[in-house]
Amino acid sequence: MKPPFHTLVTGASMGIGSRIAEDFASKGESLVLVARSRDRLEGIAATLSARHGVEVMVCSEDLGEAGGPGRVFEFCRARGISVDRLVNCAGFSVAGSFLRIAPEELHQMAMVNMVSLAEMVRLFLPGMIARGRGTVVNIASLASFQGVPGMGLYSATKSFVRILTEAINEEVRGSGVRVFAVCPGFIDNDQFYNRSGHDRKRIMVPISAPGVVVRAIRRGLDSGAAVVMPTLFDRLMVFTQRLMPRRVVVMLAGFFAGAGEKKSP
Ligand SMILES: NC(=O)c1ccc[n+]([C@@H]2O[C@H](COP(=O)([O-])OP(=O)(O)OC[C@H]3O[C@@H](n4cnc5c(N)ncnc54)[C@H](OP(=O)(O)O)[C@@H]3O)[C@@H](O)[C@H]2O)c1
């Protein structure tokens, strides 16, 4: 009997990550769901295993803490789980000018969006390479292509994700393992905006359904691309950057994002 295919999704307790988990469960893959909210993860696990007849395990972990990724790796190792697909989706943003970001928020965002993501790849990739199969999907953002005033730190963390992924994609070529990033524009998910204090009414560009990210991952799995843009609009936004001075690109990005200042509490 073939061993089950294991997919680990971080940020699976809500939003885009939970949609990605559902998509892989519908294909019969066993899942490990990672986030902090254990109750939410357990609810999603129960729904997915009842709906799709797959094994779903819950690993409640704070990826903002040093050692978080190591504990996730140990969770899998102790249960004999070889992770065949790693989807790094956990992440968050804080809206408002850079100087309004509290030092703790700055540190937390760097840990979750960058350090933990890189550590997860560092921990799980060697096993995939040894087995000659596997995929790493890193969820970056359209914001990774330029600094976005009002989302400066967030855009910088997502740039880290995209740049690191591009490099690793090349490094693992020929190993049987694929590593790629998905760069969505704004996605319809109030939870994300509420958490970041971003007033979505001020966003001046189309907001897509979470399904576009799921479809972009499917496209990425079928191609050799290092970076996958979910929509035509996303691709156009990146293309038009070549036609404008950099300062105009950055200014327009800030204008379209409308994240300049936090909502009043
Ligand atoms: N929504 C958008 O417009 C958009 C656009 C482009 C890219 N993205 C990216 O897509 C990803 C998912 O975003 P989303 O819209 O689905 O946001 P969301 O609904 O707020 O979900 C974020 C997920 O990350 C998890 N997470 C946050 N901090 C964590 C921590 N310290 N430890 C472990 N897990 C943590 C959350 O779980 P817990 O709170 O339970 O820990 C949750 O499952 C993020 O990387 C985001 O940057 C979003």
Side-chain angles (χ1 to χ4, degrees):
M1 207 174 72
K2 264 174 79 175
F5 193 96
H6 282 105
T7 293
L8 186 153
V9 184
T10 73
S13 62
M14 60 189 86
I16 297 169
S18 63
R19 295 290 293 267
I20 294 170
E22 163 106 55
D23 189 56
F24 287 124
S26 75
K27 293 180 170 54
E29 299 181 12
S30 301
L31 296 176
V32 180
L33 307 181
V34 181
R36 288 165 303 181
S37 322
R38 178 178 289 283
D39 289 354
R40 275 176 175 271
L41 290 176
E42 282 174 351
I44 291 169
T47 305
L48 294 186
S49 53
R51 200 176 282 165
H52 303 290
V54 293
E55 188 183 18
V56 186
M57 271 164 284
V58 163
C59 175
S60 166
E61 191 54 69
D62 188 344
L63 295 172
E65 277 181 6
R71 289 189 291 274
V72 175
F73 184 76
E74 183 52 30
F75 174 96
C76 296
R77 200 200 57 76
R79 288 160 183 77
I81 298 168
S82 301
V83 170
D84 302 293
R85 198 188 317 285
L86 167 65
V87 184
N88 280 310
C89 187
F92 71 98
S93 174
V94 175
S97 59
F98 178 69
L99 290 181
R100 294 183 63 155
I101 299 179
E104 316 78 66
E105 279 180 322
L106 188 158
H107 186 256
Q108 185 75 3
M109 200 191 300
M111 287 299 288
V112 177
N113 293 12
M114 297 192 293
V115 179
S116 282
L117 179 142
E119 284 182 359
M120 289 290 285
V121 180
R122 181 67 188 82
L123 287 163
F124 285 99
L125 189 56
M128 294 182 195
I129 291 174
R131 293 188 294 279
R133 70 166 191 174
T135 325
V136 175
V137 184
N138 291 328
I139 305 299
S141 170
L142 189 57
S144 70
F145 288 90
Q146 71 290 297
V148 182
M151 300 170 73
L153 181 61
Y154 176 76
S155 52
T157 65
K158 291 301 183 177
S159 175
F160 171 95
V161 173
R162 181 173 57 81
I163 297 289
L164 177 68
T165 308
E166 279 178 345
I168 303 175
N169 171 277
E170 199 52 42
E171 288 175 4
V172 303
R173 198 169 290 282
S175 67
V177 179
R178 291 261 297 104
V179 181
F180 65 93
V182 177
C183 295
F186 287 110
I187 299 296
D188 188 5
N189 178 12
D190 282 336
Q191 180 79 32
F192 179 79
Y193 301 116
N194 291 341
R195 278 188 164 183
S196 66
H198 191 157
D199 182 353
R200 65 176 279 173
K201 290 196 290 298
R202 297 182 57 205
I203 296 173
M204 307 292 284
V205 287
I207 298 180
S208 305
V212 302
V213 183
V214 171
R215 289 194 290 280
I217 293 177
R218 285 196 210 135
R219 282 208 311 279
L221 293 172
D222 293 339
S223 77
V227 175
V228 183
M229 311 299 300
T231 69
L232 179 62
F233 178 81
D234 300 332
R235 289 192 284 279
L236 266 175
M237 291 293 274
V238 174
F239 176 77
T240 52
Q241 291 196 343
R242 298 184 200 169
L243 314 172
M244 284 181 253
R246 189 71 183 162
R247 195 181 149 223
V248 176
V249 169
V250 173
M251 216 178 63
L252 284 177
F255 172 74
F256 287 138
E261 285 315 330
K262 283 183 169 183
K263 271 192 297 194
S264 41

